[in-house]
Amino acid sequence: MKTTEQSAGSEPGLAAIGMAPSDIGIVGLGVMGANLALNLSDQAYRLSVYNRTGAVTAEFIATHGQGRAIAVADNLQQLVSQLASPRVILLMVTAGRAVEAVIEQLQPWLAPGDILIDGGNSNYQDTDRRWRTLAARGLHFVGMGVSGGEDGARFGPSLMPGGAAAAWPVIRDMFQAIAARVDGIPCCQWLGEGGAGHYVKMIHNGIEYGDMQLIAEVCHLMQHALGLSHDEMADRFAAWNGGRLESYLIEITARLLRQRDHDGGPLVERILDVAGSKGTGVWTAQDALDNAVPLTLIGEAVHARMLSARKSERVAAAALLGSVPTLVPEAERAACLEALHDALYAAKLVSYTQGFMLMQAAAEKNGWALPFGDIALLWRAGCIIRSRFLADIRNSFERQPVPPSLLQDPFFAAEVKNAEAGWRRAVMLAVGHGIAAPALSSALSFYDGYRCAYGSANIIQAQRDFFGAHTYQRVDRDETAHFHTRWLGDGGEEKLS
Ligand code: NBP
């Protein structure tokens, strides 16, 4: 790596041609990179852009470059030479090998104190490793989760930065300026060292899987148990969007249910029932298992996508095992719809409870001081899971003392109790009609398990001791003491140290 003076080799830089150096360099002008570039440019930041395929850069400049302070770089060395010091470079390339390759190629031209930001959906463990490796070379690496898709990137994303703390004062104003805002507060806050930013983005995506699965299950029940038309379903989601369920995903579901195909039929009916994924849901579920956190709802959402992928197997099984569910009587439909609303709300609360539980466990394990209230706030706008509900979650983290979980927050405890009867009715509707609703029902099982002071694990402990002498603790003795019963012998008990 070269010093500030030596770096960028023989490239002349913008000063040589009478232009001010750029505030930020962007590598990757795909969907997200191009839109973030325009957003930054709208905020009067001077940019330098580079894309591996030059034609993409040329098209970007031809379409959007007019009247904007955007310099084009033909290679990474030139990009670096165009930047003010310390250099700030945003990578918006595909996660994995592409990020690794670009970092490798950039390094020879960078100087200590320069800042590299990976805005892709990188695995937080990769980010943690890159942060350590680059820190050893004096470079500040930031892993920044970006959510909101194309539109968010263009007009106000939710940004989740973490990594080298020294970078934050340098990049804060720039990224807070382009982020979405709620009541004037930017949806972009510092989350902590190492992979903290990408970790929070991973949880965001996991929660997104859960929210989407819950909505899909409710749609399926509306159609196949209640017999609603797509327009009736859309009306219901639109109405729900005016209340406690107000959120981006509820809003777009109302819209997509109304969309017609060429022949006037509902478009969603023509879409193959196989859900793809890019892996962040699986990462979240794996991380929950590694951290011993019962993240059942997101886990079910991931499994449901996996089951959806077994299309031909399902078609064969339907012929052998399937049956057409009957519809509930007309007179009961209104009450069932209310029940579905309550089930969706309560199950969503369970999902967020579990998601925050996982973040709390990860924060403890990794030594991150994750600002949970800020996380709820920065998901409040700009991202896919944005919803009114997140404001209540933020309030929960502002209470003193902070409740041990969202389900023990006084506001949410009252809300979930209000929704409980409808939730049970909705799950019974699914079970009774043979319609899969794994997220709605597993959330209810979690709730029932969570609010049960004396559960069923005593039987498991007894079984473990019976066949494997694994010992058990007793409720009527010191809980640190372990006992073994001679189950097949005289039934006597041994106390073990
Ligand atoms: P795109 O597929 O639109 O663009 C990918 C970019 O990566 C292109 O500029 C491509 O250059 C570049 N690239 C690749 Br691929 N390999 C490269 C390499 N070895 N060296 C240099 N550049 C390379 O992706 P996108 O949708 O803009 O997503 C970018 C990142 O943001 C991803 O990590 C994605 O998961 C994340 N993200 C996407 C969204 C979304 O809604 N799309 C939302 C949030 C986060 P090329 O033109 O030469 O192929």
Side-chain angles (χ1 to χ4, degrees):
M1 191 169 60
K2 303 183 180 184
T3 64
T4 311
E5 291 72 33
Q6 293 168 315
S7 61
S10 57
E11 289 295 336
L14 294 176
I17 51 170
M19 281 176 73
S22 298
D23 301 305
I24 181 168
I26 297 180
V27 179
L29 291 172
V31 175
M32 297 300 280
N35 283 291
L36 285 171
L38 294 173
N39 191 348
L40 282 158
S41 172
D42 286 350
Q43 295 297 324
Y45 287 101
R46 292 184 305 275
L47 317 180
S48 284
V49 296
Y50 166 77
N51 194 78
R52 179 183 58 176
T53 306
V56 174
T57 319
E59 196 191 331
F60 174 79
I61 292 297
T63 316
H64 306 286
Q66 196 69 27
R68 293 180 181 273
I70 303 180
V72 171
D74 296 329
N75 53 57
L76 291 171
Q77 180 187 0
Q78 194 178 45
L79 180 92
V80 172
S81 75
Q82 295 176 348
L83 304 178
S85 193
R87 292 132 176 154
V88 177
I89 301 174
L90 173 64
L91 314 185
M92 286 310 300
V93 302
T94 312
R97 265 185 300 205
V99 174
E100 209 71 41
V102 175
I103 293 175
E104 265 318 297
Q105 290 159 27
L106 272 169
Q107 275 194 68
W109 317 111
L110 298 176
D114 287 346
I115 297 168
L116 267 185
I117 305 162
D118 172 14
N121 272 340
S122 292
N123 185 298
Y124 81 96
Q125 286 163 331
D126 286 339
T127 301
D128 217 64
R129 173 177 52 76
R130 289 169 186 147
W131 165 68
R132 282 176 207 285
T133 311
L134 292 171
R137 296 171 198 174
L139 297 173
H140 300 315
F141 187 67
V142 173
M144 183 170 73
V146 178
S147 180
E150 187 174 358
D151 250 34
R154 180 68 186 87
F155 301 109
S158 169
L159 299 173
M160 294 155 248
W168 183 230
V170 183
I171 63 171
R172 180 181 49 217
D173 289 353
M174 186 182 285
F175 287 105
Q176 289 193 336
I178 63 161
R181 282 174 180 264
V182 178
D183 301 332
I185 304 171
C187 295
C188 171
Q189 306 294 333
W190 186 250
L191 296 173
E193 293 214 304
H198 275 143
Y199 189 86
V200 172
K201 174 66 187 344
M202 178 188 81
I203 300 292
H204 165 282
N205 285 23
I207 287 176
E208 182 182 310
Y209 272 60
D211 281 357
M212 292 168 77
Q213 175 65 24
L214 286 170
I215 292 173
E217 289 176 14
V218 167
C219 285
H220 210 58
L221 285 163
M222 281 177 168
Q223 187 178 359
H224 298 291
L226 307 185
L228 264 58
S229 70
H230 287 79
D231 279 341
E232 287 170 326
M233 289 156 66
D235 290 345
R236 188 52 60 158
F237 277 98
W240 288 354
N241 200 39
R244 282 177 301 172
L245 285 173
E246 181 190 315
S247 63
Y248 172 70
L249 285 170
I250 294 282
E251 180 196 327
I252 65 165
T253 302
R255 293 178 62 175
L256 60 88
L257 284 167
R258 278 193 221 286
Q259 187 73 35
R260 301 281 153 186
D261 204 0
H262 317 291
D263 61 358
L267 177 62
V268 289
E269 288 280 272
R270 311 283 158 79
I271 296 177
L272 187 68
D273 58 334
V274 172
S277 68
K278 286 193 175 165
T280 41
V282 173
W283 292 350
T284 313
Q286 281 171 340
D287 197 73
L289 291 175
D290 289 344
N291 282 295
V293 173
L295 194 85
T296 56
L297 195 143
I298 294 172
E300 288 293 354
V302 171
H303 292 143
R305 289 198 192 189
M306 291 171 176
L307 183 58
S308 83
R310 294 178 174 244
K311 175 71 177 175
S312 56
E313 203 176 326
R314 286 190 291 114
V315 170
L320 181 67
L321 308 168
S323 62
V324 180
T326 52
L327 296 180
V328 300
E330 181 85 40
E332 290 176 26
R333 284 190 197 162
C336 284
L337 280 169
E338 283 310 304
L340 287 176
H341 170 276
D342 290 354
L344 189 47
Y345 180 70
K348 188 175 156 104
L349 173 58
V350 166
S351 182
Y352 284 68
T353 299
Q354 295 178 343
F356 276 90
M357 269 181 179
L358 179 53
M359 283 194 287
Q360 280 161 331
E364 205 168 301
K365 179 168 141 187
N366 294 294
W368 297 328
L370 290 181
F372 298 108
D374 283 351
I375 291 169
L377 178 85
L378 60 82
W379 289 346
R380 186 74 184 79
C383 65
I384 305 300
I385 64 169
R386 60 184 181 259
S387 68
R388 181 207 267 203
F389 175 78
L390 282 156
D392 297 324
I393 294 183
R394 187 179 193 225
N395 293 342
S396 175
F397 283 104
E398 291 198 332
R399 281 190 232 295
Q400 285 307 325
V402 175
S405 89
L406 292 175
L407 279 173
Q408 291 196 48
D409 177 272
F411 171 77
F412 284 124
E415 292 281 281
V416 81
K417 279 187 186 162
N418 277 338
E420 190 180 326
W423 190 9
R424 290 190 192 283
R425 182 171 187 165
V427 171
M428 285 189 284
L429 181 73
V431 173
H433 284 72
I435 294 174
L440 288 171
S441 54
S442 76
L444 184 56
S445 287
F446 175 87
Y447 173 71
D448 285 336
Y450 187 73
R451 68 191 182 87
C452 179
Y454 189 69
S456 57
N458 55 329
I459 302 298
I460 293 169
Q461 284 303 84
Q463 289 170 336
R464 293 180 70 236
D465 189 55
F466 190 107
F467 64 69
H470 292 298
T471 77
Y472 54 85
Q473 294 138 281
R474 297 184 57 111
V475 292
D476 53 355
R477 312 265 175 86
D478 173 7
E479 277 192 20
T480 59
H482 286 254
F483 299 88
H484 168 60
T485 290
R486 292 184 295 275
W487 302 91
L488 294 174
D490 60 5
E493 187 180 76
E494 296 164 16
K495 184 177 178 189
L496 302 151
S497 58

